[in-house]
Each structure stands twice: as C-alpha cells, then as structure tokens.
Amino acid sequence: MEIKDAITKAKQNDQIAFNFLLDTFWNDVYAFQLKRTENENDAEDITIQTFSKAFDKINTYNEDYKFKTWLITISKNIHIDLVRKQKKTIRNTSKDNDDNYFDIIDDSPTPEDKIITEQNLAKLLRDIKKLKPHYQEVINLRYFQELSYKEISEELNEPINNVKVKLLRAKKLLAAIITKT
C-alpha cells in the first residue's frame, strides 16, 4: 500500500490504512521523542498521543507536506504542552537570588475530589463494559493492570503494533461512548 493511498483510505476510516500508517511511521515518531525526552515511557506515551491525535484529525492533513513531517510536528507540540504543564506545577518562591527555594504546588485531592473520582470511576467502568470484549481486555490490561505494551502483546499473543492500534481504537470508541452519555 502506498502512503498516499493509505492516507486517502484512512480519511474514510479504513482500519487497515490506520494500521499501515501506524506501522510505517511508529518508529520515526518514537525515535524522535526518545531523543527529546530521553525516557522510553514518556516517548511511548507521546507517540501514542501523536497517532491518536493524527488519526482523529486525519481529514485536516494537507497533502502539500510530507505525512511524516506532519506527525513529527504534532508530536513536538504534544511534548511542548507536557513540558509547559510540568513547569506550571513548580514555582520559584525565593526572596532573593542567592537562595533558591521552590514551592511544590499541592495537587493532592481533597475528600470531595476523592468522592467525585470514585463516582467517575464507577461510571467509567460501566462505559468500558459497553465496548466489545477484546477492547475491554486491552484497556483493562493497560490501564488497570498497568502492563507494558510488550506484556500485553505476550498476554494476547499479538504483535505490539496491533496492541497499540487496538488500544487507540478502544480509547476512541470509549471516548465516543462517554460523550454520548
């Protein structure tokens, strides 16, 4: 399959085309993020977010540019946003330039937040049960059992890229269910 054909088919929600694009460009985006973050988990998470966002916005892709460049740009912007969020959680409280004191913002949940979180978790679990069993399983393995993609791949006896695509698809379907309710 040619990249242009795959993009055209992906714009028509062809799952095989999404798989092809993911398989073709995963290593490029992942390697780019690994150089930036120097952390395998962060690089992997950002790469997944990149493909998720790219596949959601595939219809906005301008064919005047290379698809890989478009993906790398999305990836770079996601990383920049994450770095900005991290910087907002630490603020310098020093009174003078000689002593540097940092105040870590307390983001720990209040009792009210905990109750809301429990209610939201119960709703989320009900929504997850609306998915097909193989999507439920991959979400459970990744987010509740906190297995790596490699471990999920071994558990399901499927290639890692299939696990990644299945997880992306499961998250997209779950998001659609959540927004309907």
Side-chain angles (χ1 to χ4, degrees), residues 92-161:
N92 188 344
T93 59
S94 64
K95 303 279 189 278
D96 53 59
N97 292 336
D98 296 334
D99 298 319
N100 284 326
Y101 298 99
F102 292 92
D103 180 24
I104 307 296
I105 297 171
D106 184 11
D107 284 334
S108 58
T110 65
E112 294 84 5
D113 291 336
K114 289 178 183 175
I115 291 171
I116 290 169
T117 300
E118 288 172 11
Q119 289 172 343
N120 288 342
L121 181 59
K123 183 187 178 313
L124 177 62
L125 291 172
R126 284 193 304 272
D127 290 340
I128 289 171
K129 288 186 183 195
K130 294 177 185 174
L131 294 172
K132 291 181 181 175
H134 61 278
Y135 289 136
Q136 290 178 31
E137 183 178 30
V138 76
I139 285 180
N140 177 37
L141 293 171
R142 180 67 177 157
Y143 296 107
F144 293 99
Q145 295 184 30
E146 298 182 347
L147 297 182
S148 69
Y149 293 106
K150 184 178 181 190
E151 292 168 328
I152 295 170
S153 171
E154 291 167 359
E155 177 87 16
L156 300 177
N157 199 23
E158 290 187 29
I160 289 180
N161 281 341

Side-chain angles (χ1 to χ4, degrees), residues 31-169:
F32 173 77
Q33 279 305 327
L34 193 56
K35 284 181 187 174
R36 288 175 68 98
T37 64
E38 298 178 353
N39 180 306
E40 289 179 10
N41 291 332
D42 290 346
E44 190 173 48
D45 288 344
I46 293 169
T47 303
I48 288 170
Q49 290 177 41
T50 299
F51 280 97
S52 179
K53 189 170 193 172
F55 290 164
D56 284 344
K57 305 287 185 187
I58 191 91
N59 289 322
T60 66
Y61 168 66
N62 181 345
E63 293 186 17
D64 293 342
Y65 303 98
K66 289 188 176 187
F67 191 73
K68 178 179 167 182
T69 305
W70 185 65
L71 286 172
I72 296 292
T73 302
I74 292 170
S75 181
K76 184 178 79 174
N77 290 337
I78 289 171
H79 182 243
I80 290 168
D81 289 345
L82 289 174
V83 169
R84 283 185 187 142
K85 284 180 188 174
Q86 288 171 347
K87 284 183 180 178
K88 285 181 181 180
T89 62
I90 299 176
R91 120 186 124 226
N92 188 344
T93 59
S94 64
K95 303 279 189 278
D96 53 59
N97 292 336
D98 296 334
D99 298 319
N100 284 326
Y101 298 99
F102 292 92
D103 180 24
I104 307 296
I105 297 171
D106 184 11
D107 284 334
S108 58
T110 65
E112 294 84 5
D113 291 336
K114 289 178 183 175
I115 291 171
I116 290 169
T117 300
E118 288 172 11
Q119 289 172 343
N120 288 342
L121 181 59
K123 183 187 178 313
L124 177 62
L125 291 172
R126 284 193 304 272
D127 290 340
I128 289 171
K129 288 186 183 195
K130 294 177 185 174
L131 294 172
K132 291 181 181 175
H134 61 278
Y135 289 136
Q136 290 178 31
E137 183 178 30
V138 76
I139 285 180
N140 177 37
L141 293 171
R142 180 67 177 157
Y143 296 107
F144 293 99
Q145 295 184 30
E146 298 182 347
L147 297 182
S148 69
Y149 293 106
K150 184 178 181 190
E151 292 168 328
I152 295 170
S153 171
E154 291 167 359
E155 177 87 16
L156 300 177
N157 199 23
E158 290 187 29
I160 289 180
N161 281 341
N162 286 8
V163 169
K164 292 172 184 171
V165 170
K166 193 180 281 187
L167 190 60
L168 283 173
R169 183 77 179 134

